[in-house]
Amino acid sequence: MPRIDFTSHRLYVDAPLTPKARVALDPPRANYLRNVLRLNDGAEILVFNGSDGEWRARLDAANRKSPALIAHEQTRAQHPPFDLHYLFAPLKHARLDYMVQKAVEMGAGQLRPVLTRRTQAERINLERMRANAIEAAEQCGILSIAEIFPPARLGALLEGWSPERLLIFCDEDAPVQDPIDALRAVPGAGPRPLAVLIGPEGGFDEDERQLLLAMPQALRLSLGPRILRADTAAVAALALIQASLGDWRSFR
C-alpha cells in the first residue's frame, strides 16, 4: 500500500486524470492556489477526482487568464469506494458540517439523511454536505468522495432495505452492555455490507423502534451509560463498528 503524502497540498478536481491531462482552474480554485496557498507557476500539488487515483500535478499559472494543473505522475491507484453507509437524522448547520466531515474520515461511503418523527432540522443543503465531504477527503488522504443522498423518511428507506446489509441502529433505550461484545456476537458477522443509523436527539419514537426491531438485518446497539449528542454518537458508533466489523480489522 503506497504511503500517503501528507506534506503536499491535496485538491479534488472534477476532471479526468491521465498523464499530461490539463485541468482548468475556475477563479475560486485559482485564487485559492495562488493567493491563499501562495503557490507559484510550476509548484506541485496532489490531485484526485474520486475515480482515477491520486496524481502529482504542476501549476501552470503563466497565463493568468487560464491557469491550470498539469498531471504528470500517478502517486496512488484508485481504491473501491468505502462500503459503509451512514444514516442520520439531520442536524443544524455547524454540527451537521462536523458530523459529515467525521463520518467521511471514519470511512463512510454513503451519507443518507433520514427523517424521523422527532427530527428537528428537515431542510438540508446537499451541496454544503458535499463540500464538507470533499474537504474531509482532501485533508485525510481519501481517494473516493462519499455519495450524498437526499433526505428520505425512515419507513420508506427501510421498505427497500437490502437483506445482505446489516443495519446497526444506536438506541439510547437499548440495554447497556459492552458494545464490542454485542457487535462481535452478530451471527455471520464476517465481511458483509454495513450501515449505521443515528437517530434524532429526541430519540426514536416507539413505533419507529419497533419497526427497526422487526427487521431481521437490524442490530440494536447501546453506546454506553451516558446520552451522547448526535454528532458525538456518530464518531463513537463509527469507531466501534469499524474496529469490530469494518475495515479496521484488516490491520490485525
Side-chain angles (χ1 to χ4, degrees):
M1 178 178 174
R3 184 175 179 84
I4 300 175
D5 177 2
F6 287 112
T7 64
S8 299
H9 298 293
R10 295 181 81 241
L11 187 70
Y12 170 80
V13 296
D14 187 13
L17 291 172
T18 58
K20 299 183 180 180
R22 181 181 178 85
V23 180
L25 293 172
D26 58 22
R29 288 187 175 251
N31 178 71
Y32 173 72
L33 294 179
R34 293 187 305 196
N35 299 324
V36 178
L37 298 183
R38 299 185 180 278
L39 299 181
N40 297 318
D41 188 37
E44 292 192 343
I45 67 168
L46 298 174
V47 294
F48 68 105
N49 61 5
S51 59
D52 296 326
E54 179 184 78
W55 290 73
R56 195 169 297 280
R58 294 189 182 92
L59 177 61
D60 179 8
N63 184 344
R64 297 184 65 86
K65 292 185 178 180
S66 57
L69 291 167
I70 310 297
H72 66 90
E73 176 191 11
Q74 187 181 59
T75 54
R76 286 190 289 156
Q78 184 66 38
H79 60 61
F82 298 129
D83 192 23
L84 173 61
H85 297 183
Y86 178 59
L87 290 64
F88 61 94
L91 301 173
K92 294 182 180 179
H93 303 306
R95 292 180 59 215
L96 178 60
D97 294 345
Y98 172 88
M99 187 172 66
V100 168
Q101 293 170 6
K102 300 312 160 190
V104 170
E105 292 176 28
M106 297 296 292
Q110 288 191 6
L111 303 177
R112 291 180 171 268
V114 178
L115 303 180
T116 68
R117 292 184 182 176
R118 295 173 181 166
T119 297
Q120 297 181 351
E122 296 194 359
R123 297 184 64 182
I124 303 172
N125 186 331
L126 298 180
E127 288 301 317
R128 180 167 174 158
M129 279 184 61
R130 179 170 168 79
N132 277 289
I134 289 172
E135 180 180 342
E138 288 176 336
Q139 293 180 353
C140 296
I142 297 170
L143 295 183
S144 56
I145 302 299
E147 193 172 1
I148 310 294
F149 285 79
R153 292 284 172 188
L154 177 62
L157 190 62
L158 297 182
E159 283 181 4
W161 196 260
S162 167
E164 291 80 26
R165 187 172 297 276
L166 177 65
L167 174 60
I168 302 162
F169 75 98
C170 301
D171 185 1
E172 68 274 12
D173 281 353
V176 176
Q177 59 177 316
D178 187 324
I180 296 291
D181 288 345
L183 290 166
R184 290 179 177 169
V186 176
R192 65 184 295 187
L194 299 172
V196 59
L197 168 62
I198 302 291
E201 296 200 332
F204 297 107
D205 80 358
E206 194 55 33
D207 288 343
E208 292 168 339
R209 183 174 289 111
Q210 293 306 315
L211 184 64
L212 287 160
L213 289 171
M215 294 180 61
Q217 313 95 318
L219 170 67
R220 185 186 191 193
L221 188 69
S222 167
L223 293 179
R226 289 168 293 281
I227 301 299
L228 304 179
R229 299 194 72 174
D231 45 349
T232 308
V235 177
L238 288 167
L240 288 168
I241 291 163
Q242 289 287 45
S244 301
L245 303 177
D247 62 12
W248 290 8
R249 297 173 65 193
S250 62
F251 294 96
R252 292 179 185 171

